[in-house]
Amino acid sequence: MGIAIVGQIVSPVFLQTDNLINVMQTMSEIALLVLAQTMILIVKKMDLSMESTMGLAPGVAAWLVVPIGAGHGLGLLPGGWAIPVTLAVGVLIGVINALLIIRFGLNGFIVTLGMLIVLRGVLTGVSGGQTFFQLPSSMLYLGSAVWFGVPASIWICLVLFAAAIVVLGWTNFGRSLYAIGGNVDAAKAAGIRTDRVLAIVIVTGSLLAALAGLLLSGRLASVASAQGNGYIFTVFAAAVIGGISLNGGKGTMFGAFSGILLLFMIQNVLTLGGVPAQWIGALNGLIILAALTISRITGGKAQE
Amino acid sequence: MGIAIVGQIVSPVFLQTDNLINVMQTMSEIALLVLAQTMILIVKKMDLSMESTMGLAPGVAAWLVVPIGAGHGLGLLPGGWAIPVTLAVGVLIGVINALLIIRFGLNGFIVTLGMLIVLRGVLTGVSGGQTFFQLPSSMLYLGSAVWFGVPASIWICLVLFAAAIVVLGWTNFGRSLYAIGGNVDAAKAAGIRTDRVLAIVIVTGSLLAALAGLLLSGRLASVASAQGNGYIFTVFAAAVIGGISLNGGKGTMFGAFSGILLLFMIQNVLTLGGVPAQWIGALNGLIILAALTISRITGGKAQE
Amino acid sequence: MALDGAWITIRPGETHALVGRNGAGKSTLVNVITGLLGPDEGTLTFDGKPAPRLTDRDAWRQRVACVYQKSTIIPTLTVGENLFLNRCDHGRGRLIDWRGTRRRAEDLLSAWSVEVAPGTLAGDLSVEQRQFVEIARALSFGARFIILDEPTAQLDGTAINRLFDRIRDLQAQGVTFLFISHHLQEIYEICDMVTVFRDARHIVTSPVAELSRTELVAAMTGETAVVLGGERVSSLDADATAALSVQDLSGSAYADITFQVGAGEIVGLAGAAGSGRTEVAETVVGLRAADSGKVEIAGSRPRPGSVPAALAAGAGFVPQDRHHQGYVPAMSIADNSTLSVPARLGRGGFISNRRRNLLAETSIEKLEIKTPGPELPVSALSGGNQQKVVMARALADEPRLLVLINPTAGVDVRSKEFLLGKVEETAETGTGVLIASDELDDLRLCDRVLVMFQGRVTTETRRGWHDHDLVAAMEGMTLNAENHD
Amino acid sequence: LLSACGSASGTGTTSADGPLVGVDYPRSDTDFWNSYIKYTPDYAKQLGLSLKTTNSQNEVAKLTANVQTFISQGVKGVAMAPQDTAAIAPTLDQLKAKKIPVVTVDTRPDNGDVFMVVRADNRAYGEKACKYLGSKLGGKGKVVMLQGGLDSINGRDRTEAFNECMKANYPGITVFGEATNWDGAVAAQKLQTDLTANPDIKGIYMQSSFALAGTLQLLKQRGLLVPPTDPKHVFVVSNDGIPEELKSIADGKIDATVSQPADLYAKYALYYLKAAIDGKTFQPGKTDHDSTIIQVRPGLLEDQLSAPLVTADGGTYDGVPSLKSTDTSLWGNNLG
Ligand SMILES: Nc1ncnc2c1ncn2[C@@H]1O[C@H](COP(=O)(O)OP(=O)(O)OP(=O)(O)O)[C@@H](O)[C@H]1O
Ligand SMILES: Nc1ncnc2c1ncn2[C@@H]1O[C@H](COP(=O)(O)OP(=O)(O)OP(=O)(O)O)[C@@H](O)[C@H]1O
Ligand SMILES: [Mg+2]
Ligand SMILES: [Mg+2]
């Protein structure tokens, strides 16, 4: 990849294992969002609320678990409950989204836009806008542990992507996502339980977002009330650069992973290259736009 | 409308002309974005970059016009150029979007997501992240003038909405927007110059966003480098609450206007009611979600 | 529900035709029989046993295979995967064995002599290939009862013959068919029994041989049929400017096309799928631009590749596929039928709703569109009526030249007769008509038929041709009445 | 809304042969921090330090990544301004393990050790604003406080201190607190609503200069932008001390501001880093630059730089001394 060469020219630090691990660790949480969003895009839905789920799920856990006095937690549950609560909140959000989208037939973009605002608001509400800290050690573990010399969050991210590649490419369930995204009526006629698959995908997506939130909270040892805000733009940019179609039925997990890796490497190179802070945003955006245009030109077909 | 009654109960101030004018004035800029987005949604496109256009267009004007020494302008042009430059930047952005979407056949969501990031970055770049003050009086006029006892921006907003209602409802051009959004191939076969109409709509949308930015800069007598950030969520929420379909071909300007008015009245009531700040976000979001669900139930058909 | 006390009995081994006008409930019945829809009332039995539960798709598919009217191909997946969707081979560890699946797909495709690689994206297939993939897939389940819902609507002559050969093979093996088509001659060709539906009710079931074509049409429409194809006196006005003059037109799908359509003349442009007839017609109305050559409509040369210019020059146009290019579903009949004539609705780009509705009401009356009023969205109409709206738009500006592509595709007999009758009426007013179609019924009323094969006009014939000669010409054989045995 | 990919950090290097230090800028979208960014390289040169800089765009996740980059680049000390004071602890632990000294600027980490905290007392900002408004209004009337974001510790300190001081010293004054998320448009909207509901509002406290222009514009629209001698005058106190505020004070448009020492932040962040690298230590007590070092908790010293109140006349208000807006010691009057 060209980026490696450019990176090496910009700074010899770029290709050091240390730096690459740094890039991977920084991107691991958002990569999980990309994974989740990719699944959801393949079935021709979208979930904008993910970025809020990523903040709210660990936020609620912290709120219930962090003892009174230390910040503004309620201290209602022992520390060991933090992870189950985080994941349960993720599932709950997914179930609400799935209900509104599948059962009530509401447009996914609209539902999850509404949810994005609500969930963000709820986190501000329970946290009073403040950051939760003194999290229980169970919440910190995954985000901060190091396994075989590499941060646990990198392992988790890689294992989940590998699993997703296998599931999407080599199982009936995975293929059914593509079928649903390509033509939902045809999928139904082929005996795929489309509603059930859609629900599983949406709920799993929220669950992954909650997990991503857990990792981030663990890494930062806190839950900020703005955790995750603005991530959704990056998630979509990565997915699209990775070749995922917004019209469903197309794209691979490997592509999605490459997309997010590319984005974070570019940011890393810009940082190492000492680009003035105020121009980094514009450069980053230009690179995204260029990547899109190039993938259009090489991809050939007009996107609709 | 129920909101009027609720508002009156919460605070007797709510229905005072003064307060209603306030609401209208604060919403006037974002209402122009809603107008523009509605047109674009009717032709089945979307423009996420609007929120950045709203900041960048007056930002570039201020950058070129504000004299050196007073802040960080370049002072290259006399003050009278500010408005033409603002509008020209808006048109330019629209032309770029239109080229990428129509000529190169790129997906509108993706293009404008990329542009959103680029334009935001460019504004941070030219402004160095700082706020432009000491704007020339021409830039201040529209946002701060009062005509017949009512702020000019309200008049502008109302006149533009009235014009849009007439154009969409009673002209051939307006009808062609619905035809294109409903079935672009059929529109083409019926002799509508679809590409031209699409380009006009996209460029006009950006122009309106630039105008909205001008009004906001005039009202606040400054251009913050974050001007417009996050507005796109509100714009979409308003359009959707107002009954605009994301699938094109459906919706009225009157509905769009009602949508944004409703959102701002709710915010006004929440402020007047002294709702604790940390819960305003959640409440606002819940109301949006409820409005969406209700419009779905009363609207009948499943949205896709 | 779209069915009302409907019933049908199909005996093992027979080929049963189901006919009825658009919206009669045929496809709905198919959905019920294949387990996609549950009946509100009534029962369904296979071999005397009650139907499986709706959720048990596999059980359904062992009993009945179906080619649905709407495509059930998934364009983003490969052909191979489409064939074995949700039933791929599993290899080790319950993972899909792609190589095995691919081999089976190859076998299946070659058995059907569909010449596509299993790795091709289904979205890249031609209409015919796609249709055959659907049929091959439906039959590959090994069910002894097969439903074909309008399988021939999108196929040309050769393809239909291949399909029928295959059906006859299976008939010989005792497979039962339920066959739906608007082409009545096909019913007589391969079916034993026929059932007629009208307004969601069962009307009659009878052996095909005992029901004449006229009786069949009468049963479908509930009224005595008008006989179509009676002698027509040509309304060609040789003195007036030709409605259309095409000279040396060459483009990507055709070359050296030269012909004229006189005022009041009806000219057919026949040809199999891929012969270039559709492309020529689309070039005439400006949907495409030719590489070279010229098109003159009623004496003026519109800018190539511009629909508005062609319309302004006096063209009216019914596009190939009404769902795709014909109408805007969410818009009203009034808007759809006046979409291409804004100038007649008011001045300065404004539209007067009164004038629009007046114009639309005239069309509704003239074309007998069944609707409560002009404000109804077109999506709420049945297929035949939707096609009439498209026709109304083509006629709205009193065109000098009417270009029709497959004007009666998927339209029931009655509407077909009606629409073609309107075409004749229009020609009598001095309008030149160009009909690009492979449907013999459409071509029968033409004064002349030009046959295209592989992008060139190979044959020209006057009225009075024999069906088989024209079909042969469309398949590339020269039409020569003298030498025919 | 900051887009995670739309923002990152930049590394600049100032060439010098002195020890290499890393400075992470918290954000580049406020005038105050932009001034800080401008001062930093100058003082690095003065102190003979080589400099690597990054920008974390107000996002703590980015800050931790930037610190990793610093470590890879082998810096000998790190200065940062974590806007989220809780989330930085793991990063501090890591730096401590690598024996890299840290100076935090503007904010004090909730836990974890740093060599020195360089900050002004945000509670004092709120108090000074309160005293000024209290004395000007004569202890009665209505005041709007345009707060920053709920999630900012500095904002919270200012809010709490202002509220407590009002309650304790001027019980006759009613305070309407409005959260604005540091957004000028939101601030204008809320202020407008409050002014409509309570036309007799006599004072405004803005917790940052972000709301300055919009507030003035609004007052002008309502005919309230009049000299202090006019009974309709609304007293406006701002915060930050950017040039625009000083100019507005001189023009009589606003009445006061609290000047945050952007220059001193840059100067002393680097000063303490150099000291740490040189092995110096500090004790609580008065310093040589008109400030006090206090011990917040064991292992955490804080140098509380002075942040003067700035007024048109430089008078003293309820015991709070002030500087004239034209005073050349103010950083806002010294910008290139
Ligand atoms: N999902 C549906 N809900 C309600 N009504 C429907 C639905 N689908 C079809 N219909 C109605 O059922 C009727 C029968 O439709 P169906 O598709 O079975 O007709 P058909 O006989 O197959 O017509 P064609 O010959 O055009 O295929 C139509 O008039 C239509 O209005
Ligand atoms: N989901 C649906 N809900 C309600 N009505 C439907 C639905 N789908 C189709 N219809 C109705 O079906 C009718 C047309 O659909 P249908 O597919 O049966 O047409 P058709 O006559 O079969 O046309 P074609 O010959 O082109 O297939 C219209 O009256 C339409 O309102
Ligand atoms: Mg049908
Ligand atoms: Mg049918």
Side-chain angles (χ1 to χ4, degrees), chain C residues 1-3 18-31 37 69-70 149-150 180-182 197 200 322 379-384 410-412:
Chain C
M1 196 62 196
L3 291 174
L18 176 61
V19 297
R21 302 190 58 180
N22 294 124
K26 304 181 296 290
S27 300
T28 311
L29 181 73
V30 168
N31 285 344
L37 272 180
Q69 186 173 6
K70 281 189 189 143
D149 191 354
E150 301 195 27
I180 299 173
S181 175
H182 288 297
F197 268 33
R322 67 169 170 277
S379 57
L381 294 175
S382 75
V411 170
D412 69 51

Side-chain angles (χ1 to χ4, degrees), chain C residues 406-430:
Chain C
N406 296 347
T408 61
V411 170
D412 69 51
V413 257
R414 187 73 184 81
S415 308
K416 187 187 287 186
E417 285 167 1
F418 181 86
L419 285 171
L420 294 176
K422 282 293 160 198
V423 171
E424 285 187 64
E425 270 178 38
T426 312
E428 273 153 27
T429 64

Side-chain angles (χ1 to χ4, degrees), chain B residues 135-223:
Chain B
L135 304 183
S137 57
S138 68
M139 274 185 93
L140 299 182
Y141 180 71
L142 284 181
S144 58
V146 174
W147 296 340
F148 309 109
V150 174
S153 57
I154 296 185
W155 287 114
I156 293 174
C157 174
L158 290 179
V159 166
L160 285 175
F161 263 96
I165 288 173
V166 170
V167 169
L168 284 191
W170 283 280
T171 71
N172 184 43
F173 179 79
R175 195 174 65 162
S176 68
L177 301 196
Y178 288 98
I180 290 173
N183 183 348
V184 65
D185 291 313
K188 200 176 283 172
I192 293 170
R193 295 192 172 90
T194 50
D195 282 358
R196 185 196 289 188
V197 174
L198 281 173
I200 292 177
V201 168
I202 291 174
V203 174
T204 310
S206 282
L207 180 64
L208 283 172
L211 177 64
L214 185 68
L215 293 182
L216 184 61
S217 305
R219 179 154 68 85
L220 302 180
S222 59
V223 188

Side-chain angles (χ1 to χ4, degrees), chain B:
Chain B
M1 286 220 291
I3 179 81
I5 300 162
V6 175
Q8 195 56 22
I9 293 168
V10 168
S11 160
V13 173
F14 181 71
L15 283 184
Q16 284 174 13
T17 331
D18 226 26
N19 186 55
L20 293 179
I21 285 185
N22 274 349
V23 172
M24 293 278 286
Q25 186 180 9
T26 23
M27 76 174 227
S28 62
E29 299 98 11
I30 210 164
L32 292 189
L33 297 190
V34 174
L35 192 165
Q37 195 69 260
T38 299
M39 276 186 349
I40 296 177
L41 286 174
I42 286 176
V43 295
K44 206 172 173 174
K45 299 282 168 202
M46 44 171 75
D47 184 356
L48 304 176
S49 64
M50 241 169 223
E51 63 162 50
S52 304
T53 306
M54 180 180 195
L56 182 62
V60 169
W63 182 51
L64 294 176
V65 165
V66 170
I68 307 184
H72 36 283
L74 298 181
L76 290 176
L77 296 174
W81 280 88
I83 291 183
V85 168
T86 304
L87 301 182
V89 171
V91 168
L92 181 71
I93 294 169
V95 168
I96 295 173
N97 279 335
L99 264 182
L100 290 173
I101 294 172
I102 300 170
R103 181 78 70 215
F104 295 117
L106 289 163
N107 178 301
F109 180 89
I110 296 171
V111 166
T112 58
L113 174 61
M115 285 294 278
L116 171 107
I117 299 170
V118 173
L119 301 179
R120 194 184 275 181
V122 172
L123 179 56
T124 313
V126 302
S127 70
Q130 288 170 261
T131 304
F132 291 101
F133 296 106
Q134 301 192 12
L135 304 183
S137 57
S138 68
M139 274 185 93
L140 299 182
Y141 180 71
L142 284 181
S144 58
V146 174
W147 296 340
F148 309 109
V150 174
S153 57
I154 296 185
W155 287 114
I156 293 174
C157 174
L158 290 179
V159 166
L160 285 175
F161 263 96
I165 288 173
V166 170
V167 169
L168 284 191
W170 283 280
T171 71
N172 184 43
F173 179 79
R175 195 174 65 162
S176 68
L177 301 196
Y178 288 98
I180 290 173
N183 183 348
V184 65
D185 291 313
K188 200 176 283 172
I192 293 170
R193 295 192 172 90
T194 50
D195 282 358
R196 185 196 289 188
V197 174
L198 281 173
I200 292 177
V201 168
I202 291 174
V203 174
T204 310
S206 282
L207 180 64
L208 283 172
L211 177 64
L214 185 68
L215 293 182
L216 184 61
S217 305
R219 179 154 68 85
L220 302 180
S222 59
V223 188
S225 73
Q227 179 159 309
N229 281 10
Y231 279 26
I232 201 70
F233 292 118
T234 313
V235 169
F236 270 92
V240 171
I241 288 177
I244 315 300
S245 159
L246 296 178
N247 301 305
K250 247 181 254 174
T252 64
M253 274 298 160
F254 183 76
F257 185 78
S258 315
I260 188 68
L261 187 63
L262 184 71
L263 281 187
F264 270 75
M265 284 194 164
I266 290 168
Q267 287 192 13
N268 185 254
V269 170
L270 293 181
T271 309
L272 287 175
V275 173
Q278 79 240 47
W279 287 107
I280 284 188
L283 258 172
N284 213 340
L286 267 181
I287 292 169
I288 291 175
L289 203 57
L292 294 176
T293 315
I294 290 168
S295 68
R296 156 75 183 86
I297 291 165
T298 53
K301 273 232 203 114
Q303 307 156 321
E304 179 38 40

Side-chain angles (χ1 to χ4, degrees), chain D:
Chain D
L1 268 175
L2 284 169
S3 138
C5 64
S7 50
S9 35
T11 312
T13 312
T14 340
S15 57
D17 294 328
L20 181 68
V21 298
V23 177
D24 181 78
Y25 303 135
R27 55 197 303 169
S28 57
D29 55 358
T30 66
D31 300 270
F32 175 75
W33 284 111
N34 276 301
S35 303
Y36 173 74
I37 291 171
K38 248 183 234 163
Y39 282 117
T40 300
D42 297 346
Y43 283 114
K45 211 171 275 169
Q46 271 184 30
L47 291 165
L49 293 169
S50 320
L51 191 62
K52 289 272 180 198
T53 63
T54 57
N55 192 310
S56 55
Q57 306 279 0
N58 211 17
E59 227 188 282
V60 71
K62 207 148 279 158
L63 173 55
T64 59
N66 289 342
V67 169
Q68 303 301 328
T69 308
F70 282 150
I71 295 174
S72 309
Q73 289 169 334
V75 298
K76 298 279 175 293
V78 172
M80 60 169 91
Q83 299 290 291
D84 187 325
T85 50
I88 198 63
T91 309
L92 292 179
D93 291 345
Q94 203 182 352
L95 286 165
K96 190 178 176 190
K98 294 222 171 348
K99 300 209 162 43
I100 298 174
V102 176
V103 172
T104 67
V105 179
D106 191 47
T107 52
R108 171 202 303 157
D110 293 325
N111 41 36
D113 290 352
V114 299
F115 181 75
M116 183 66 76
V117 178
V118 174
R119 96 184 260 257
D121 185 354
N122 277 279
R123 294 189 57 90
Y125 295 3
E127 247 170 67
K128 285 176 180 171
C130 155
K131 292 266 174 69
Y132 179 81
L133 279 177
S135 73
K136 280 291 187 187
L137 297 188
K140 58 182 190 306
K142 293 175 179 169
V143 168
V144 178
M145 169 167 54
L146 298 174
Q147 304 164 6
L150 287 168
D151 52 1
S152 147
I153 184 153
N154 285 342
R156 246 177 359 248
D157 275 356
R158 294 171 206 180
T159 302
E160 280 167 15
F162 187 84
N163 280 335
E164 279 167 21
C165 154
M166 277 292 175
K167 213 189 270 166
N169 303 315
Y170 314 101
I173 291 182
T174 318
V175 179
F176 300 99
E178 303 293 358
T180 69
N181 209 21
W182 305 118
D183 181 331
V186 175
Q189 182 187 344
K190 299 233 166 133
L191 179 60
Q192 193 164 3
T193 305
D194 284 334
L195 282 173
T196 306
N198 303 284
D200 51 345
I201 282 171
K202 280 285 170 259
I204 296 169
Y205 170 40
M206 300 183 279
Q207 289 188 356
S208 162
S209 55
F210 69 92
L212 176 66
T215 299
L216 291 181
Q217 192 73 352
L218 199 59
L219 292 177
K220 193 164 132 203
Q221 185 192 330
R222 305 184 72 95
L224 298 173
L225 201 57
V226 292
T229 46
D230 192 309
K232 274 166 69 185
H233 182 77
V234 177
F235 289 92
V236 180
V237 181
S238 184
N239 198 88
D240 284 354
I242 62 168
E244 188 66 20
E245 289 171 275
L246 303 182
K247 229 176 118 291
S248 298
I249 294 175
D251 296 349
K253 288 186 192 155
I254 67 172
D255 301 278
T257 188
V258 178
S259 172
Q260 288 202 88
D263 51 345
L264 300 184
Y265 273 19
K267 180 173 178 183
Y268 288 100
L270 294 169
Y271 168 83
Y272 283 115
L273 271 189
K274 184 154 191 285
I277 293 167
D278 295 345
K280 284 190 199 148
T281 52
F282 294 88
Q283 299 305 322
K286 287 274 178 211
T287 65
D288 57 356
H289 48 270
D290 185 29
S291 71
T292 322
I293 292 180
I294 59 165
Q295 176 157 19
V296 181
R297 57 171 188 260
L300 194 80
L301 295 178
E302 182 169 314
D303 184 354
Q304 295 202 324
L305 303 173
S306 66
L309 180 70
V310 181
T311 57
D313 57 5
T316 298
Y317 298 92
D318 277 2
V320 180
S322 71
L323 293 178
K324 267 179 100 116
S325 64
T326 49
D327 195 303
T328 48
S329 73
L330 291 170
W331 66 273
N333 286 329
N334 290 319
L335 276 182

